[in-house]
Amino acid sequence: MKKTALLLTALALTGCVTGYNPQEIEAVRDYVAANDLEEVDRIRRSNQLSYTYINDYFVTIPTRRGDYLAEFISECRELRQTFTENMMDERRDTTWLRARFDTIRGCRIGTFYVITEEQRKELRELGDAPGDEVFLPEGEDN
């Protein structure tokens, strides 16, 4: 009985350490659907690309022409680290960042959605209960 209790405790703690929260990810997907966000295939890069971490599947990216929500094809723990320009490691064009082809931190971008500044703020706080803050890398839009 003690072994089972220890195993369950270890599994629960492992879930906390990974930062993977299926409800938070689903909440962002629900937000995208509820707000009928426009999907785009590519975004024009500005001088210095930066992002704000939402969770292991989503980041927001500010550009001169507006803000975008990027969804990755699979979980990307590397997104938790502070962004630098060399993290956009796979690209076909230096002017554009393209969904389904380019990567950030080795993680393939699945989709871009056009968002407003207000939506960017809402997405950042989505899923964070009071006192339940997560690590957010510092970026230009923080």
Side-chain angles (χ1 to χ4, degrees):
M1 188 69 158
K2 282 186 176 183
K3 286 183 181 181
T4 303
L6 287 173
L7 179 60
L8 290 175
T9 302
L11 288 174
L13 290 175
T14 301
C16 294
V17 172
T18 64
Y20 181 80
N21 184 340
Q23 290 122 348
E24 192 175 308
I25 293 162
E26 198 56 40
V28 177
R29 289 184 177 141
D30 289 346
Y31 184 91
V32 168
N35 287 278
D36 196 27
L37 297 182
E38 176 188 357
E39 188 176 324
V40 293
D41 290 329
R42 63 185 184 168
I43 61 174
R44 189 169 186 84
R45 291 191 44 215
S46 55
N47 293 337
Q48 178 69 27
L49 184 69
S50 66
Y51 69 76
T52 299
Y53 174 86
I54 303 300
N55 59 47
D56 288 352
Y57 278 84
F58 292 94
V59 297
T60 58
I61 301 173
T63 70
R64 285 188 195 158
R65 297 181 180 181
D67 295 329
Y68 298 90
L69 174 67
E71 180 175 5
F72 291 82
I73 291 175
S74 60
E75 181 181 9
C76 184
R77 293 179 183 159
E78 291 78 9
L79 295 171
R80 299 177 203 169
Q81 299 174 10
T82 303
F83 183 84
T84 62
E85 182 63 23
N86 65 348
M87 292 177 182
M88 192 174 65
D89 46 68
E90 212 176 290
R91 57 187 167 238
R92 295 177 183 250
D93 185 330
T94 58
T95 308
W96 297 93
L97 188 57
R98 299 174 359 146
R100 298 178 305 284
F101 297 102
D102 295 335
T103 66
I104 296 175
R105 300 291 307 172
C107 302
R108 188 149 321 273
I109 302 162
T111 308
F112 291 114
Y113 299 98
V114 179
I115 57 174
T116 64
E117 183 177 341
E118 184 63 32
Q119 288 171 324
R120 177 175 46 88
K121 291 175 184 175
E122 289 173 4
L123 284 161
R124 182 174 177 181
E125 295 178 11
L126 192 62
D128 288 341
D132 188 25
E133 289 78 20
V134 296
F135 171 74
L136 296 172
E138 292 297 320
E140 293 178 2
D141 65 335
N142 288 341

